[in-house]
Amino acid sequence: MAWGSALWRRVKVFRVALQVFLDYRAARKKAAGLPKEDQNLLWDRIHHRNAERILAAITELEGLWVKFGQYLSTRADVLPEAYISMFRQLQDSLPPRPIAEATCFPHFLFFFVLSLLILLFRQVSATIEKQLGKPLDELFSEFDRKPLATASIAQVHRARMKDGRDVVVKVQHQGIKECVLQDLYNARVIVEWVAWAEPDYDFGPVLDEWCREVPQELNFNQEAENTKKVAHNLKSWTKDGTISIDPVDVLLPEVVQSAEKVLILTYMDGVRINDVAGLDRLGVDKQAAVETITRAYAHQIYIDGFFNADPHPGNFLISTQPPFRPILLDFGLTKSISMPFRQSLAKMLLAAAEGDYSALLSAFSEMGLVLKLDMPEEAMEITNFFFRRSLPAEESAEMKELVKDNDKRIQRLKSRLDSKETLRTPVSAFPTDAVFFMRVLGLLRGLSSVLGARVVYLEIMKPYAEAVLYRFVLGGRSNSGNELPIFDSPLHSQAEVKLHQLLREMHKQQRILGVQVCAYKDGKVIVDTAAGYLGKYDPRPVRCDSLFPVFSATKGVTAALLHWLADHGKLSLAEKISSIWPEFAENHKDACTVAHALNHTCGLQNALYDVLRKNPLAMCDWSEMLKLIAAAKPESPPGQDQKYHALSFGWICGGIAEKATGKTFQQLIEEAFVTPLNVTGEFYVGIPPGVEERLASLTMDPEELKNIPAASAAALRTHLSTLEVGTTSDGVGPASLEDFLTNGSPLSVSSLPSLFNMLFIRRATIPAANGHFSARALARFYATLASGGRVPPGTSSSKPPLGSHAHRPPLGGSSSTAKRKKGSRITGKNCCKTRSLSSDLSGGQIHFQEEQDAPAKIFTSGDIHDAFVGGGKYSGLVTRDSEKFGLGFWKLKTGDTSAGAGKKKMAFGHSGIGGSFGYCDPDNDFAMVITVNKMTLGQVSGDIVRLVCSEIGIPCPLAMERPSQ
């Protein structure tokens, strides 16, 4: 390319970029003082003017800029209509420019056009003859001099081979290589300039990948091989264990002949996919067509690791004969990705589908995507944005408004976009292999929007992502076989040895995914086991410091907090709530007491159910929930009926605690339990930023719910007294256990994993259902309750030591384990040394603790156990014949509790739906906690409790007996 041409192109690019930049900056200032309607008119004019300006530049420059324009033409869901309508002209053919393809110089005068057309065809003929070694009349019986289409790199002519086959001949423009290289250089300068002017908009990683991949398009021999490879891959049938992937029903042209600058393919008769009128005349199902194309790309990306990285609408046709199959064209720009990266992409998609934030972070780390540490929420938002359901262009704005209503953080993010404010990028390093993957998603989404298709990308791509992960995660966890990984920590007792055997058997039966078990006996740890995986799509092993969501097992902590406040004189259990919280007296609740709240007798069991059914994310708004519960109308007088308050329990009790002290719920939890028990970093009701890497993710098998025998339902109601099922009243709440389990509503059991895996839910203050604990931290809490408030002198020998994490990790540090400052105490004043006794027990050692310092005590009352269960002098505060609940705790019978049996104190605790469970037995000075992430209906916890109790010779709670079948 001549120097003058290169200079002209550079000047042209920079001049247009500067014009557009200054035009929008001036318009932004002008719009600030206009009414909304006038602002809209102004922006319409600005969009149209700059779209024309950019299109004219692209048409004149051609080369790589055409590809940028083709990409933008598909983004009807995000770009103004003026840009879409203008750039759509670039999708199939460029405006006639006879000499530009040959030299890249500006237009010559009009009267030269005819002669230049002749010159152009001579150049096309010369290229073909030089590349293929024969003149046109020896290669073809017919050759159409008028191009079917003219694109950025080549033009396509229709022809007929000597053997009668109809073909298309793709001929590369002369001088295009120099044009492309110059365009890439100019683009880099602009990207660097934009990054300097607006540091939050650095597109360098995207351009880096383009610079590596785009030159591949200039070798048509490579395109021929790519076409053959993709055609073979998409016809393949894949089966991996129980997951099978059928061939995708699409068409690709056959390669007839190729050279570096000429490619001959069979002619495919079809209608352009963006020709909506043409598709409608044929009766094509546009929704099915887009879904099939999406499957084709999912197959290429996840199964094959080799995909077309340039899927603009000009590369798709729909065949004119039934069944109107999609035709895929142009494989000049392809991308190969490694198996580890495919697995990471699959893990990212599945994490988005499950709302699994910890798996998403793990996938990002494996991909090489480095997040800015103070922006984890934006990362999830942007990931979900990429995979979101597509909508027609006219409905996209409405969907964005619905997103605003559902989450205030998204509202703030979107409002910053709407007001043209700077939006910080959430990544500080972006994997280059992901650039084209994201581009494919964006182009497919834009195509769907143009055709009015509603495509659920997560559902379509999910089977392909699962297939690539099957061996790695679902079918044996990489090369480790099917052995359950048990975290490497010392064995504490013979009971723990037997427990490991039981867990391995449960794993073989696919009853567990990840689990933690910790038990204290006489103030010492006798079991502290972590086993399995953090999530269905997160193969990292569970550790002893992993954090599990435990649902209603959280209620035991919330109840204990009110007892702690009563013990410290901040409130009285018999006190009216309205004396602490005046607003609570509304709607005749002035007689409700703190004890009524703890005993589930406020009559508010279904309060806010209708609000949450319509918008489950409303539970994240703590202050709004307190207002609504204070204004709620009870269904029965206080103290009359004991009905389980599944979620309202937390807002009532949490509101009482805050109103009585003027402190936040989290501050009180830290003061009452976290600091005295030295369980920092493993004891939360609403997680802080920085602990995401330790989160276990919930999952469940929906088939297990469908297959519950009818005879078992009644037994399960009795067995799991703390299921989150509000009693129906006047049509409010689930009508039955079966309805609650399977009706698919936002609050049904089948919906809970995806809902409670969301970071927004995990970070919210929901004292009835949002506790995140390690089993060893929650077991230490229950061991303290078992002894009447005396903190156990020793802790587990497992690593890292309990209490070694910062409770609220600094945002400027690593999101993994955040250590305490150098010199600070790690295990607290109640930690104790260990002694090891050798024992031939599965090759391990059994460890016991030695007491050191006199333990602290968090309760001073001598009859605190009676307060927990509503016994003794507290019996008047609970409903008559209250067999299920005491004052906040589930009362657990452990056999004959008559006076003759010598039983003095009742066991108590709380379970959570899905199987996590914590309790203590004061008479035997025993405490135990089980956390699980594969939700079941309690049988797993029951089997574990029975085993441990049997091994140490103490009675098992009757509620943990297996339900009848």
Side-chain angles (χ1 to χ4, degrees), residues 518-833:
C518 186
Y520 279 75
K521 181 71 173 77
D522 299 326
K524 298 177 181 179
V525 176
I526 61 169
V527 172
D528 188 11
T529 288
Y533 304 94
L534 285 177
K536 181 178 180 181
Y537 303 116
D538 189 348
R540 292 176 298 158
V542 173
R543 296 159 37 113
C544 291
D545 63 341
S546 299
L547 298 173
F548 279 66
V550 299
F551 290 108
S552 282
T554 311
K555 289 184 174 70
V557 174
T558 300
L561 178 62
L562 289 191
H563 285 286
W564 182 82
L565 292 174
D567 188 66
H568 287 69
K570 300 296 183 181
L571 55 81
S572 166
L573 299 180
E575 187 175 0
K576 291 182 178 180
I577 298 175
S578 59
S579 68
I580 303 169
W581 184 1
E583 295 85 352
F584 196 82
E586 187 174 342
N587 276 319
H588 310 292
K589 298 194 300 296
D590 51 296
C592 282
T593 66
V594 175
H596 290 145
L598 290 168
N599 196 227
H600 296 269
T601 55
C602 281
L604 297 170
Q605 62 269 19
N606 290 308
L608 312 188
Y609 178 84
D610 196 49
V611 173
L612 298 174
R613 179 176 57 82
K614 294 176 182 177
N615 180 16
L617 293 182
M619 72 176 73
C620 298
D621 191 334
W622 172 249
S623 60
E624 183 65 18
M625 289 297 100
L626 293 189
K627 291 178 183 177
L628 291 176
I629 201 68
K633 183 178 180 180
E635 299 179 39
S636 58
Q640 176 175 300
D641 298 316
Q642 187 176 72
K643 301 291 185 182
Y644 184 63
H645 289 44
L647 287 170
S648 54
F649 176 92
W651 293 310
I652 299 170
C653 294
I656 292 170
E658 289 198 351
K659 301 296 182 181
T661 62
K663 298 180 180 180
T664 67
F665 188 82
Q666 282 83 3
Q667 287 173 335
L668 292 170
I669 291 293
E670 291 180 35
E671 180 181 347
F673 307 128
V674 173
T675 301
L677 273 59
N678 193 34
V679 290
T680 55
E682 299 182 33
F683 199 98
Y684 297 105
V685 180
I687 64 167
V691 302
E692 293 83 5
E693 289 185 355
R694 293 191 285 126
L695 295 178
S697 300
L698 297 164
T699 188
M700 73 179 311
D701 184 357
E703 294 301 318
E704 292 183 3
L705 298 181
K706 296 178 182 178
N707 297 327
I708 298 174
S712 299
L716 283 170
R717 289 189 187 92
T718 301
H719 173 63
L720 293 175
S721 302
T722 60
L723 271 174
E724 274 82 339
V725 183
T727 302
T728 300
S729 175
D730 299 326
V732 179
S736 65
L737 174 63
E738 292 77 11
D739 178 53
F740 175 70
L741 293 176
T742 61
N743 66 8
S745 72
L747 296 180
S748 65
V749 172
S750 58
S751 302
L752 290 180
S754 59
L755 183 62
F756 277 81
N757 280 337
M758 293 178 65
L759 180 65
F760 316 117
I761 297 287
R762 290 182 185 264
R763 288 190 174 175
T765 303
I766 310 174
N770 198 34
H772 284 73
F773 308 100
S774 65
R776 64 183 186 176
L778 194 55
R780 187 166 176 80
F781 163 81
Y782 271 108
T784 301
L785 302 190
S787 64
R790 188 179 300 277
V791 179
T795 60
S796 168
S797 302
S798 59
K799 302 294 181 181
L802 181 60
S804 62
H805 289 285
H807 197 61
R808 302 203 173 272
L811 291 178
S814 171
S815 58
S816 60
T817 304
K819 301 296 183 182
R820 294 176 181 268
K821 293 181 179 179
K822 184 176 181 180
S824 65
R825 187 171 301 186
I826 290 183
T827 54
K829 69 178 182 179
N830 294 316
C831 83
C832 47
K833 298 177 181 178

Side-chain angles (χ1 to χ4, degrees), residues 599-601 642 718 721-722 869-870 878-887 889-894 897 906-909 958-959:
N599 196 227
H600 296 269
T601 55
Q642 187 176 72
T718 301
S721 302
T722 60
V869 299
V878 299
T879 57
R880 188 178 303 172
D881 301 324
S882 177
E883 295 186 358
K884 290 183 180 179
F885 292 99
L887 291 175
F889 290 93
W890 187 14
K891 294 160 62 174
L892 298 170
K893 296 181 180 180
T894 56
T897 58
M906 179 173 286
F908 58 91
L958 298 180

Side-chain angles (χ1 to χ4, degrees), residues 305 354 410 730:
E354 297 283 324
I410 298 179
D730 299 326

